[in-house]
Amino acid sequence: MRVLLACLMTGVAFGANGAELRDVRVWAGPDSTRVVFDLDATAIHNIFTLENPSRVVVDLRDTHRAGALAAQLEGKGLVQRVRSGPQEGGALRVVLDLSASARPKTFALQPNDSYGYRVVVDLASAAPAAVTAPPLPRPELAEKPIVIAIDAGHGGEDPGARSRRGLREKDVSLALARRLATMVNGEPGLHAVLVRDGDYYVELRDRIRKAQDAQADLFISIHANSYRDPSVRGTAVYVLSPKGATSEHAALLANRENMSDLIGGVETDNRDDQTMAVLADIFQTSALEASHDAGGRLLESMSRVNTLQRTRVQQASFVVLKSASFPSVLVETAFLTNEREERLLRDPSYQDKLARSMLEG
């Protein structure tokens, strides 16, 4: 009985401690601002807004702030400051001081390989859209430029692969995407659209939607690879496979890239798998053929600046490539886990060479 009583008392003591808020991260994107609360356990939360001045208040039940976490933190984007303090009943109140009114959306995420328990608050501006003048009529003979949507992989909460010296895939992919966009825009008849142009996360299917909204003619997703064997190196190009991967490595890579939404932080729901299956069926026709053609040209061009991991275009079920309206390719530029290639990826002049080879392809 004494042992049982001691166990029960210990359980009560642990339960009284509740969750601990260990960190707060703020990510500013062009369309919204994301605030992420890192916790050591799950916590029930409530949210409401206040005006004059604009604030979002998040109450985390049975939660306390870690000793090393400051009571006030600087913000980004719509968030000017993050303030926190204990409330009666054991709750922790977090106040987001805003620069303007915002529509909050909140959800909780379970632990994964990269993070523990998280509560995510997404803030979209509540201001009405600005009224813009109608576009000037274009000359009848003017031709639409070829639009290339350039997708920098990962971002924000999702760092992607990481080298032993700390180089992150999300930073490499963004640097390459920006260089390629500049080069594309320097070519007559071509126009680049950056799907991600900062350190924030874009949901995989939203990347497709952004390219569709831009009326893209080609979608290229840029990444940096990793593998448990540091001797593995080289460039590879992938297109969508509705049926299966062309190799075990391709299947593993697609699975890892498709996990980005879980790491980057996306509210879980029943995704439209049936719709995506239909899109994959449509993709098997002309768009898939064009993707293979573009991928082959990219491989040929990029072989002049780096060894090829695979000499043929590979296929796997990448969510980010599931579009029916334009050819799409995913480029794994080099391996962050290979010492030589990691060193090259850090070099701005080599980044220029890689971007130039993609443009030529």
Short mmCIF file of all heavy atoms in Angstrom, two decimals, residues 58-113:
data_model
loop_
_atom_site.label_atom_id
_atom_site.label_comp_id
_atom_site.label_asym_id
_atom_site.label_seq_id
_atom_site.Cartn_x
_atom_site.Cartn_y
_atom_site.Cartn_z
N VAL A 58 -3.10 33.60 -26.56
CA VAL A 58 -3.12 32.14 -26.54
C VAL A 58 -2.93 31.70 -25.09
O VAL A 58 -1.91 32.02 -24.47
CB VAL A 58 -2.01 31.54 -27.43
CG1 VAL A 58 -2.12 30.02 -27.42
CG2 VAL A 58 -2.10 32.08 -28.85
N ASP A 59 -3.90 30.98 -24.57
CA ASP A 59 -3.79 30.42 -23.22
C ASP A 59 -3.45 28.94 -23.32
O ASP A 59 -4.19 28.16 -23.94
CB ASP A 59 -5.10 30.59 -22.45
CG ASP A 59 -5.32 32.02 -21.99
OD1 ASP A 59 -4.32 32.73 -21.80
OD2 ASP A 59 -6.49 32.43 -21.85
N LEU A 60 -2.33 28.54 -22.73
CA LEU A 60 -1.88 27.15 -22.72
C LEU A 60 -2.18 26.59 -21.33
O LEU A 60 -1.58 27.00 -20.33
CB LEU A 60 -0.38 27.08 -23.02
CG LEU A 60 0.05 27.63 -24.39
CD1 LEU A 60 1.56 27.82 -24.43
CD2 LEU A 60 -0.40 26.71 -25.50
N ARG A 61 -3.10 25.64 -21.27
CA ARG A 61 -3.54 25.10 -19.99
C ARG A 61 -2.45 24.23 -19.36
O ARG A 61 -1.75 23.50 -20.06
CB ARG A 61 -4.82 24.28 -20.18
CG ARG A 61 -5.51 23.89 -18.89
CD ARG A 61 -6.72 23.03 -19.16
NE ARG A 61 -7.70 23.71 -20.03
CZ ARG A 61 -8.82 23.14 -20.44
NH1 ARG A 61 -9.10 21.89 -20.09
NH2 ARG A 61 -9.64 23.81 -21.22
N ASP A 62 -2.31 24.34 -18.03
CA ASP A 62 -1.35 23.53 -17.27
C ASP A 62 0.04 23.60 -17.90
O ASP A 62 0.68 22.57 -18.15
CB ASP A 62 -1.80 22.07 -17.20
CG ASP A 62 -3.09 21.91 -16.42
OD1 ASP A 62 -3.31 22.69 -15.47
OD2 ASP A 62 -3.89 21.03 -16.76
N THR A 63 0.50 24.81 -18.16
CA THR A 63 1.79 25.01 -18.82
C THR A 63 2.58 26.09 -18.11
O THR A 63 2.00 27.09 -17.64
CB THR A 63 1.57 25.42 -20.30
OG1 THR A 63 0.80 24.41 -20.96
CG2 THR A 63 2.90 25.58 -21.03
N HIS A 64 3.88 25.89 -18.02
CA HIS A 64 4.75 26.91 -17.45
C HIS A 64 5.88 27.21 -18.44
O HIS A 64 6.21 26.40 -19.30
CB HIS A 64 5.33 26.46 -16.11
CG HIS A 64 6.18 25.23 -16.19
ND1 HIS A 64 5.65 23.95 -16.20
CD2 HIS A 64 7.53 25.08 -16.28
CE1 HIS A 64 6.63 23.07 -16.28
NE2 HIS A 64 7.78 23.73 -16.34
N ARG A 65 6.47 28.37 -18.30
CA ARG A 65 7.54 28.80 -19.18
C ARG A 65 8.88 28.27 -18.69
O ARG A 65 9.16 28.26 -17.49
CB ARG A 65 7.58 30.34 -19.24
CG ARG A 65 8.51 30.92 -20.28
CD ARG A 65 8.40 32.45 -20.29
NE ARG A 65 8.77 33.01 -19.00
CZ ARG A 65 8.08 33.93 -18.36
NH1 ARG A 65 6.95 34.39 -18.87
NH2 ARG A 65 8.48 34.41 -17.19
N ALA A 66 9.71 27.79 -19.61
CA ALA A 66 11.04 27.32 -19.24
C ALA A 66 11.85 28.47 -18.66
O ALA A 66 11.69 29.64 -19.06
CB ALA A 66 11.76 26.75 -20.47
N GLY A 67 12.71 28.13 -17.71
CA GLY A 67 13.48 29.16 -17.03
C GLY A 67 14.35 29.99 -17.96
O GLY A 67 14.56 31.18 -17.74
N ALA A 68 14.85 29.36 -19.04
CA ALA A 68 15.75 30.06 -19.95
C ALA A 68 15.00 30.90 -20.99
O ALA A 68 15.62 31.65 -21.74
CB ALA A 68 16.64 29.05 -20.67
N LEU A 69 13.67 30.78 -21.04
CA LEU A 69 12.89 31.49 -22.04
C LEU A 69 12.46 32.85 -21.50
O LEU A 69 11.84 32.95 -20.45
CB LEU A 69 11.65 30.66 -22.43
CG LEU A 69 10.79 31.21 -23.57
CD1 LEU A 69 11.58 31.28 -24.85
CD2 LEU A 69 9.54 30.35 -23.75
N ALA A 70 12.80 33.90 -22.24
CA ALA A 70 12.50 35.26 -21.80
C ALA A 70 11.00 35.51 -21.81
O ALA A 70 10.25 34.94 -22.61
CB ALA A 70 13.21 36.27 -22.70
N ALA A 71 10.55 36.40 -20.93
CA ALA A 71 9.12 36.73 -20.84
C ALA A 71 8.67 37.58 -22.02
O ALA A 71 7.48 37.65 -22.32
CB ALA A 71 8.84 37.47 -19.53
N GLN A 72 9.60 38.23 -22.70
CA GLN A 72 9.26 39.04 -23.87
C GLN A 72 10.27 38.78 -24.98
O GLN A 72 11.48 38.78 -24.75
CB GLN A 72 9.25 40.53 -23.52
CG GLN A 72 8.86 41.43 -24.68
CD GLN A 72 8.52 42.84 -24.22
OE1 GLN A 72 7.68 43.02 -23.34
NE2 GLN A 72 9.18 43.83 -24.80
N LEU A 73 9.78 38.55 -26.18
CA LEU A 73 10.63 38.24 -27.33
C LEU A 73 10.26 39.14 -28.49
O LEU A 73 9.11 39.58 -28.63
CB LEU A 73 10.45 36.77 -27.76
CG LEU A 73 10.73 35.70 -26.69
CD1 LEU A 73 10.22 34.35 -27.18
CD2 LEU A 73 12.21 35.64 -26.38
N GLU A 74 11.23 39.41 -29.35
CA GLU A 74 10.98 40.21 -30.54
C GLU A 74 10.21 39.39 -31.57
O GLU A 74 10.36 38.17 -31.65
CB GLU A 74 12.31 40.69 -31.14
CG GLU A 74 13.01 41.74 -30.30
CD GLU A 74 12.20 43.00 -30.12
OE1 GLU A 74 11.62 43.48 -31.13
OE2 GLU A 74 12.11 43.50 -28.98
N GLY A 75 9.40 40.06 -32.36
CA GLY A 75 8.61 39.38 -33.36
C GLY A 75 9.11 39.62 -34.77
O GLY A 75 10.16 40.23 -34.99
N LYS A 76 8.34 39.12 -35.73
CA LYS A 76 8.60 39.31 -37.15
C LYS A 76 7.27 39.42 -37.87
O LYS A 76 6.24 38.98 -37.36
CB LYS A 76 9.39 38.13 -37.74
CG LYS A 76 10.79 37.95 -37.21
CD LYS A 76 11.41 36.71 -37.84
CE LYS A 76 12.78 36.42 -37.25
NZ LYS A 76 13.34 35.15 -37.78
N GLY A 77 7.28 39.97 -39.07
CA GLY A 77 6.06 40.04 -39.85
C GLY A 77 4.97 40.81 -39.14
O GLY A 77 5.19 41.95 -38.68
N LEU A 78 3.80 40.21 -39.01
CA LEU A 78 2.68 40.86 -38.32
C LEU A 78 2.88 40.95 -36.82
O LEU A 78 2.22 41.75 -36.14
CB LEU A 78 1.38 40.10 -38.61
CG LEU A 78 0.79 40.21 -40.01
CD1 LEU A 78 -0.35 39.20 -40.18
CD2 LEU A 78 0.27 41.61 -40.27
N VAL A 79 3.78 40.14 -36.27
CA VAL A 79 3.99 40.08 -34.82
C VAL A 79 5.11 41.04 -34.42
O VAL A 79 6.25 40.90 -34.86
CB VAL A 79 4.33 38.65 -34.37
CG1 VAL A 79 4.57 38.61 -32.87
CG2 VAL A 79 3.23 37.68 -34.76
N GLN A 80 4.78 42.01 -33.58
CA GLN A 80 5.79 42.94 -33.10
C GLN A 80 6.54 42.40 -31.89
O GLN A 80 7.76 42.52 -31.80
CB GLN A 80 5.13 44.28 -32.74
CG GLN A 80 4.54 45.02 -33.94
CD GLN A 80 3.90 46.33 -33.54
OE1 GLN A 80 3.24 46.43 -32.49
NE2 GLN A 80 4.08 47.35 -34.36
N ARG A 81 5.79 41.81 -30.96
CA ARG A 81 6.38 41.26 -29.74
C ARG A 81 5.61 40.03 -29.32
O ARG A 81 4.42 39.89 -29.63
CB ARG A 81 6.35 42.28 -28.58
CG ARG A 81 7.36 43.39 -28.64
CD ARG A 81 7.17 44.37 -27.49
NE ARG A 81 5.80 44.90 -27.48
CZ ARG A 81 5.38 45.90 -28.24
NH1 ARG A 81 6.22 46.47 -29.10
NH2 ARG A 81 4.12 46.32 -28.16
N VAL A 82 6.28 39.17 -28.55
CA VAL A 82 5.64 38.01 -27.93
C VAL A 82 5.86 38.12 -26.43
O VAL A 82 6.99 38.14 -25.96
CB VAL A 82 6.24 36.68 -28.45
CG1 VAL A 82 5.54 35.49 -27.79
CG2 VAL A 82 6.13 36.59 -29.96
N ARG A 83 4.74 38.23 -25.68
CA ARG A 83 4.83 38.36 -24.22
C ARG A 83 4.15 37.15 -23.56
O ARG A 83 3.19 36.61 -24.11
CB ARG A 83 4.13 39.64 -23.74
CG ARG A 83 4.75 40.91 -24.28
CD ARG A 83 4.03 42.15 -23.77
NE ARG A 83 2.75 42.37 -24.44
CZ ARG A 83 1.57 42.41 -23.85
NH1 ARG A 83 1.48 42.17 -22.53
NH2 ARG A 83 0.46 42.64 -24.52
N SER A 84 4.66 36.75 -22.43
CA SER A 84 4.06 35.60 -21.75
C SER A 84 4.12 35.78 -20.24
O SER A 84 5.02 36.44 -19.72
CB SER A 84 4.76 34.30 -22.15
OG SER A 84 6.13 34.32 -21.78
N GLY A 85 3.15 35.18 -19.57
CA GLY A 85 3.12 35.25 -18.11
C GLY A 85 2.14 34.24 -17.54
O GLY A 85 1.18 33.84 -18.22
N PRO A 86 2.34 33.80 -16.29
CA PRO A 86 1.46 32.79 -15.68
C PRO A 86 0.09 33.39 -15.34
O PRO A 86 -0.05 34.58 -15.08
CB PRO A 86 2.22 32.39 -14.41
CG PRO A 86 3.08 33.59 -14.09
CD PRO A 86 3.44 34.21 -15.40
N GLN A 87 -0.93 32.51 -15.38
CA GLN A 87 -2.29 32.88 -15.03
C GLN A 87 -2.76 32.01 -13.86
O GLN A 87 -2.17 30.98 -13.55
CB GLN A 87 -3.22 32.68 -16.23
CG GLN A 87 -2.85 33.52 -17.44
CD GLN A 87 -3.11 34.99 -17.20
OE1 GLN A 87 -4.25 35.41 -17.02
NE2 GLN A 87 -2.05 35.80 -17.19
N GLU A 88 -3.85 32.42 -13.26
CA GLU A 88 -4.42 31.61 -12.18
C GLU A 88 -4.87 30.26 -12.73
O GLU A 88 -5.35 30.17 -13.86
CB GLU A 88 -5.63 32.34 -11.55
CG GLU A 88 -5.25 33.57 -10.76
CD GLU A 88 -6.45 34.18 -10.08
OE1 GLU A 88 -7.54 33.58 -10.15
OE2 GLU A 88 -6.30 35.27 -9.47
N GLY A 89 -4.69 29.23 -11.92
CA GLY A 89 -5.10 27.90 -12.33
C GLY A 89 -4.02 27.13 -13.07
O GLY A 89 -4.29 26.04 -13.58
N GLY A 90 -2.84 27.71 -13.17
CA GLY A 90 -1.73 26.99 -13.79
C GLY A 90 -1.58 27.18 -15.27
O GLY A 90 -0.75 26.52 -15.91
N ALA A 91 -2.33 28.09 -15.88
CA ALA A 91 -2.21 28.33 -17.32
C ALA A 91 -1.08 29.33 -17.59
O ALA A 91 -0.70 30.11 -16.72
CB ALA A 91 -3.52 28.85 -17.88
N LEU A 92 -0.58 29.27 -18.79
CA LEU A 92 0.39 30.25 -19.26
C LEU A 92 -0.26 31.05 -20.38
O LEU A 92 -0.75 30.48 -21.36
CB LEU A 92 1.66 29.56 -19.79
CG LEU A 92 2.75 30.50 -20.33
CD1 LEU A 92 3.37 31.32 -19.20
CD2 LEU A 92 3.83 29.71 -21.07
N ARG A 93 -0.28 32.36 -20.25
CA ARG A 93 -0.87 33.22 -21.27
C ARG A 93 0.25 33.80 -22.13
O ARG A 93 1.21 34.38 -21.63
CB ARG A 93 -1.69 34.34 -20.66
CG ARG A 93 -2.19 35.38 -21.66
CD ARG A 93 -3.35 36.18 -21.11
NE ARG A 93 -4.55 35.33 -20.97
CZ ARG A 93 -5.72 35.80 -20.54
NH1 ARG A 93 -5.87 37.07 -20.21
NH2 ARG A 93 -6.76 34.98 -20.44
N VAL A 94 0.10 33.65 -23.45
CA VAL A 94 1.04 34.21 -24.41
C VAL A 94 0.29 35.25 -25.23
O VAL A 94 -0.75 34.95 -25.82
CB VAL A 94 1.65 33.14 -25.33
CG1 VAL A 94 2.67 33.76 -26.27
CG2 VAL A 94 2.30 32.02 -24.52
N VAL A 95 0.81 36.47 -25.27
CA VAL A 95 0.18 37.56 -26.00
C VAL A 95 1.06 37.93 -27.19
O VAL A 95 2.26 38.19 -27.03
CB VAL A 95 -0.03 38.79 -25.09
CG1 VAL A 95 -0.68 39.93 -25.89
CG2 VAL A 95 -0.89 38.42 -23.89
N LEU A 96 0.45 37.94 -28.37
CA LEU A 96 1.13 38.36 -29.58
C LEU A 96 0.69 39.79 -29.91
O LEU A 96 -0.48 40.02 -30.28
CB LEU A 96 0.79 37.42 -30.74
CG LEU A 96 0.94 35.92 -30.48
CD1 LEU A 96 0.52 35.12 -31.71
CD2 LEU A 96 2.37 35.57 -30.10
N ASP A 97 1.58 40.74 -29.74
CA ASP A 97 1.28 42.13 -30.09
C ASP A 97 1.46 42.29 -31.60
O ASP A 97 2.55 42.03 -32.13
CB ASP A 97 2.22 43.09 -29.35
CG ASP A 97 1.97 43.08 -27.85
OD1 ASP A 97 0.80 42.97 -27.45
OD2 ASP A 97 2.95 43.17 -27.09
N LEU A 98 0.41 42.74 -32.28
CA LEU A 98 0.41 42.78 -33.73
C LEU A 98 0.55 44.20 -34.26
O LEU A 98 0.17 45.18 -33.60
CB LEU A 98 -0.88 42.17 -34.28
CG LEU A 98 -1.26 40.76 -33.79
CD1 LEU A 98 -2.55 40.31 -34.47
CD2 LEU A 98 -0.13 39.77 -34.06
N SER A 99 1.05 44.30 -35.47
CA SER A 99 1.15 45.60 -36.14
C SER A 99 -0.15 45.95 -36.85
O SER A 99 -0.37 47.11 -37.21
CB SER A 99 2.30 45.58 -37.15
OG SER A 99 2.10 44.56 -38.11
N ALA A 100 -1.03 44.97 -37.05
CA ALA A 100 -2.32 45.18 -37.69
C ALA A 100 -3.23 44.03 -37.33
O ALA A 100 -2.78 42.99 -36.87
CB ALA A 100 -2.16 45.30 -39.21
N SER A 101 -4.52 44.21 -37.54
CA SER A 101 -5.48 43.14 -37.25
C SER A 101 -5.17 41.91 -38.10
O SER A 101 -4.72 42.02 -39.24
CB SER A 101 -6.91 43.60 -37.54
OG SER A 101 -7.26 44.66 -36.67
N ALA A 102 -5.40 40.73 -37.54
CA ALA A 102 -5.09 39.49 -38.25
C ALA A 102 -6.13 38.44 -37.91
O ALA A 102 -6.76 38.48 -36.85
CB ALA A 102 -3.70 38.99 -37.87
N ARG A 103 -6.31 37.49 -38.82
CA ARG A 103 -7.18 36.34 -38.61
C ARG A 103 -6.32 35.17 -38.16
O ARG A 103 -5.52 34.66 -38.95
CB ARG A 103 -7.93 35.99 -39.89
CG ARG A 103 -8.83 37.09 -40.41
CD ARG A 103 -9.64 36.62 -41.61
NE ARG A 103 -8.78 36.14 -42.68
CZ ARG A 103 -8.26 36.92 -43.63
NH1 ARG A 103 -8.50 38.21 -43.62
NH2 ARG A 103 -7.52 36.40 -44.58
N PRO A 104 -6.47 34.71 -36.91
CA PRO A 104 -5.64 33.61 -36.42
C PRO A 104 -6.23 32.24 -36.72
O PRO A 104 -7.45 32.06 -36.74
CB PRO A 104 -5.57 33.84 -34.92
CG PRO A 104 -6.88 34.50 -34.60
CD PRO A 104 -7.27 35.31 -35.82
N LYS A 105 -5.36 31.29 -36.97
CA LYS A 105 -5.74 29.89 -37.11
C LYS A 105 -4.73 29.09 -36.30
O LYS A 105 -3.52 29.29 -36.44
CB LYS A 105 -5.71 29.47 -38.58
CG LYS A 105 -5.94 27.99 -38.82
CD LYS A 105 -5.76 27.67 -40.30
CE LYS A 105 -5.86 26.18 -40.56
NZ LYS A 105 -5.61 25.85 -41.99
N THR A 106 -5.19 28.18 -35.48
CA THR A 106 -4.28 27.46 -34.61
C THR A 106 -4.54 25.96 -34.67
O THR A 106 -5.67 25.52 -34.88
CB THR A 106 -4.42 27.96 -33.15
OG1 THR A 106 -3.50 27.24 -32.31
CG2 THR A 106 -5.81 27.74 -32.63
N PHE A 107 -3.48 25.19 -34.49
CA PHE A 107 -3.60 23.73 -34.43
C PHE A 107 -2.38 23.17 -33.70
O PHE A 107 -1.35 23.84 -33.57
CB PHE A 107 -3.72 23.11 -35.83
CG PHE A 107 -2.63 23.50 -36.79
CD1 PHE A 107 -1.49 22.71 -36.95
CD2 PHE A 107 -2.74 24.66 -37.56
CE1 PHE A 107 -0.49 23.07 -37.84
CE2 PHE A 107 -1.73 25.02 -38.46
CZ PHE A 107 -0.62 24.22 -38.60
N ALA A 108 -2.51 21.95 -33.23
CA ALA A 108 -1.44 21.27 -32.49
C ALA A 108 -0.83 20.19 -33.36
O ALA A 108 -1.51 19.58 -34.19
CB ALA A 108 -1.97 20.68 -31.19
N LEU A 109 0.47 19.95 -33.17
CA LEU A 109 1.19 18.92 -33.91
C LEU A 109 1.87 17.96 -32.94
O LEU A 109 2.41 18.37 -31.91
CB LEU A 109 2.26 19.55 -34.82
CG LEU A 109 1.74 20.42 -35.97
CD1 LEU A 109 2.90 21.17 -36.62
CD2 LEU A 109 1.00 19.59 -36.99
N GLN A 110 1.83 16.69 -33.29
CA GLN A 110 2.49 15.66 -32.50
C GLN A 110 3.98 15.62 -32.82
O GLN A 110 4.43 16.11 -33.85
CB GLN A 110 1.84 14.30 -32.77
CG GLN A 110 0.39 14.21 -32.32
CD GLN A 110 0.25 14.41 -30.82
OE1 GLN A 110 0.88 13.71 -30.02
NE2 GLN A 110 -0.58 15.37 -30.42
N PRO A 111 4.79 14.99 -31.96
CA PRO A 111 6.24 14.93 -32.21
C PRO A 111 6.57 14.17 -33.49
O PRO A 111 5.84 13.28 -33.92
CB PRO A 111 6.77 14.19 -30.98
CG PRO A 111 5.74 14.36 -29.93
CD PRO A 111 4.43 14.42 -30.66
N ASN A 112 7.69 14.56 -34.11
CA ASN A 112 8.24 13.81 -35.25
C ASN A 112 9.75 13.76 -35.08
O ASN A 112 10.28 14.08 -34.01
CB ASN A 112 7.84 14.45 -36.58
CG ASN A 112 8.23 15.92 -36.66
OD1 ASN A 112 9.35 16.30 -36.33
ND2 ASN A 112 7.30 16.76 -37.11
N ASP A 113 10.46 13.34 -36.12
CA ASP A 113 11.91 13.17 -36.01
C ASP A 113 12.64 14.48 -35.76
O ASP A 113 13.77 14.49 -35.26
CB ASP A 113 12.46 12.52 -37.29
CG ASP A 113 12.02 11.08 -37.43
OD1 ASP A 113 11.60 10.49 -36.41
OD2 ASP A 113 12.07 10.54 -38.56
#
